Amino acid sequence: MRYYIIAGEASGDLHGSNLIKELKKADTTAEIRCWGGDRMQQAGGQLVKHYRNLAFMGFYEVVKNLGTILRNLQFCKDDIAKYKPDALILIDYPGFNLRIAEWAKQQGYKIIYYISPQVWAWKENRVHKMKQCIDKMLVILPFEKDYYKNKWNWEVEYVGHPLIEVVEEAQLQPGSTPLADKPIIALLPGSRKQEILKKLPIMLEVSRMFPAYQFIVAKAPGQEDSFYESVLATYPNVSSVRDATYNLLLQSRAALVTSGTATLETALFGVPEVVCYKGSNISYQIAKRLIKVKYISLVNLIMDKLVVKELIQNDLTPGNLRKELDDLLTNEATQQQLRADYAALQHLLGQGGHASARAASIIVEYLTP
C-alpha cells in the first residue's frame, strides 16, 4: 500500500522513523512518502519536506510566519492529491495536521492519527472536528484512552509509548568513549531557534557555578554548528555534541531540559532533571490563559504529580536553576524519591506493548480489506 506520513518536529521524525520500519515489516511492499526529517528518510520514506522548515513556536511566531504556513498547507494538499495514498498517517503536529485531516476527509482519504494532539491541555474544542475527520486514533499516553472514552465517547487505541523501545535500544548499545573527564551535566535547550535563544543563555550561566562539572549541550539536528559557537564561546566548562543526545544522557549526572518530549526521554534514561520553560512574553501570557494542565512536563502530567521541578518563565533564572541542580546532585532523599518515581513511570508507559510495532500492525490490519 501507499502511505503518506506527516510529522513536523524532531520527536515526530523519531517516532515516524520507527513506525516506517515496522510498516515495512508488516507490509513488505509498502511505499511511503513523508514530511519529517533525516530519520524518516533513512528508514525508507521518500522525504518531501524537512521539519526544520516547518516548526514555528508560540502564538506570535505562528502569526508572523502565517504566509509560509499557508503555502506549505497548499503544497501538501497538492502533493497528496498527486500521490493518491491508500492512507494518510498524521503524527502529532496538530496546527498543521488537523487542517490537512479536514481537507483529506472531504477528498475521501483514510486518515490515521498516531500520537494524539494534546487536546486535554488546551483547544479541547478540536475534538469535535477530530472525531469527524479521523478514522483511527492511536494514543501513546496511558490517560488518553480514558479521556477520549469518558469525555467524548470515542474509542481510541493505546499502543504504549514509543520512547520506551527507543531508550531500551540505546541502553543496549556497547559503551562509547567518555564525553568528558569530569562528571557531566546535560543541557537540552530544544530544537527550534527561538526557544534555544530564550533558554540556553540562562542554562549556560549556571555552568559558572559548578566548575567541577562539564556541561554539554545537545545540538538540535536542524540547527547549524555556527549558531551554537557564538552562544557557547565564553563558557570554559561547556562543550557540545551533535547526533549524540542519548549517549550524552547515558553519561550524565543530571540535566537541564526544555519542556517537551526531551523531559520524558531524560526520565526514561534515569537522569535527574530540572525542566526549563521560557517563551516570548506575548506567547506566554496567551498560553497561561488558555492551557488547562497543572504541569508543563510530560513526566509530571503522566504521573499526575510533581516528580521533576519545573522552572517556568520568570522563575527560570540562573539562581533558581543553581539551587535545583545542587539539590539533584547532593540530596540523597531527592535522588531516592526520583528513582522510585522514574521506575513507576517506566512501568506505566510500557503497558501498551511495543508501540511502533503495535501501531503498524493496527494500521495494516485496518487498511487490509
Side-chain angles (χ1 to χ4, degrees):
M1 280 180 282
R2 293 155 72 84
Y3 305 87
Y4 199 104
I5 305 178
I6 304 173
E9 296 170 304
S11 59
D13 181 37
L14 172 64
H15 301 320
S17 70
N18 288 325
L19 180 65
I20 288 171
K21 287 172 196 170
E22 295 298 336
L23 278 172
K24 284 180 169 289
K25 287 182 199 170
D27 175 4
T28 53
T29 59
E31 289 178 32
I32 296 166
R33 192 165 170 83
C34 61
W35 291 43
D38 301 343
R39 291 173 186 269
M40 288 170 74
Q41 189 169 31
Q42 285 155 13
Q46 184 187 355
L47 191 65
V48 181
K49 264 195 191 279
H50 200 288
Y51 67 78
R52 76 169 71 95
N53 303 317
L54 305 173
F56 301 106
M57 185 188 80
F59 302 92
Y60 173 66
E61 290 80 6
V62 166
V63 170
K64 200 169 71 173
N65 292 285
L66 201 54
T68 305
I69 293 166
L70 292 172
R71 281 191 297 275
N72 281 335
L73 276 165
Q74 191 54 54
F75 176 82
C76 185
K77 291 172 185 176
D78 294 343
D79 198 53
I80 291 167
K82 205 181 296 179
Y83 186 64
K84 297 184 171 56
D86 293 292
L88 201 55
I89 302 172
L90 307 173
I91 301 178
D92 197 6
Y93 194 47
F96 189 90
N97 274 339
L98 291 177
R99 286 178 174 82
I100 291 296
E102 189 179 4
W103 168 85
K105 185 70 177 175
Q106 291 165 358
Q107 311 306 308
Y109 293 107
K110 286 197 169 79
I111 299 160
I112 296 142
Y113 217 111
Y114 175 49
I115 307 181
S116 167
Q118 295 175 353
V119 286
W120 34 265
W122 73 304
K123 291 199 173 177
E124 261 193 322
N125 59 341
R126 282 175 161 172
V127 181
H128 297 292
K129 195 164 283 181
M130 285 162 62
K131 275 185 81 173
Q132 293 167 10
C133 301
I134 296 163
D135 298 303
K136 191 66 123 167
M137 171 70 88
L138 310 178
V139 302
I140 64 168
L141 298 174
F143 61 80
E144 288 177 324
K145 187 171 172 65
D146 288 340
Y147 166 80
Y148 281 117
K149 174 67 180 162
N150 298 339
K151 185 147 192 179
W152 298 97
N153 193 29
W154 189 10
E155 288 289 353
V156 303
E157 300 205 44
Y158 174 53
V159 296
H161 203 292
L163 272 182
I164 293 279
E165 72 217 43
V166 172
V167 171
E168 280 176 358
E169 188 183 333
Q171 287 168 327
L172 292 172
Q173 297 300 315
S176 55
T177 312
L179 293 169
D181 52 12
K182 294 194 284 190
I184 293 170
I185 307 293
L187 301 182
L188 277 59
S191 59
R192 304 179 185 100
K193 195 166 279 191
Q194 302 106 309
E195 67 180 342
I196 296 167
L197 289 172
K198 281 281 180 195
K199 295 161 206 157
L200 184 55
I202 299 166
M203 295 176 174
L204 291 172
E205 279 304 304
V206 178
S207 71
R208 300 191 194 279
M209 305 166 194
F210 294 85
Y213 289 84
Q214 181 70 26
F215 286 68
I216 302 182
V217 178
K219 293 178 181 174
Q223 304 299 339
E224 301 295 326
D225 287 338
S226 56
F227 168 64
Y228 292 94
E229 282 162 15
S230 56
V231 187
L232 305 185
T234 57
Y235 298 92
N237 60 326
V238 179
S239 54
S240 61
V241 292
R242 181 175 291 287
D243 299 328
T245 303
Y246 287 178
N247 184 26
L248 172 59
L249 288 172
L250 282 166
Q251 298 185 36
S252 295
R253 296 280 181 88
L256 308 181
V257 187
T258 199
S259 55
T261 307
T263 63
L264 194 52
E265 289 172 307
T266 304
L268 292 174
F269 275 101
V271 180
E273 66 181 302
V274 184
V275 176
C276 308
Y277 175 81
K278 194 177 184 77
S280 71
N281 196 46
I282 298 169
S283 291
Y284 175 69
Q285 292 302 331
I286 296 169
K288 199 168 70 165
R289 287 158 176 75
L290 294 178
I291 292 173
K292 299 184 299 188
V293 288
K294 285 186 283 186
Y295 309 110
I296 62 163
S297 156
L298 275 173
V299 175
N300 295 337
L301 281 167
I302 293 163
M303 294 293 287
D304 197 27
K305 67 173 189 172
L306 193 70
V307 172
V308 294
K309 182 70 179 180
E310 300 180 348
L311 294 177
I312 303 172
Q313 205 64 5
N314 295 333
D315 290 335
L316 183 60
T317 64
N320 286 344
L321 258 185
R322 183 204 59 76
K323 176 175 164 290
E324 296 303 332
L325 181 55
D326 189 57
D327 187 53
L328 291 180
L329 294 169
T330 60
N331 189 326
E332 185 62 45
T334 299
Q335 293 166 355
Q336 202 172 342
Q337 182 61 55
L338 208 46
R339 280 193 292 272
D341 286 335
Y342 279 180
L345 173 74
Q346 183 125 14
H347 175 73
L348 200 55
L349 291 178
Q351 286 177 341
H354 184 294
S356 303
R358 189 160 153 65
S361 163
I362 290 169
I363 290 166
V364 172
E365 191 179 313
Y366 171 67
L367 295 174
T368 305

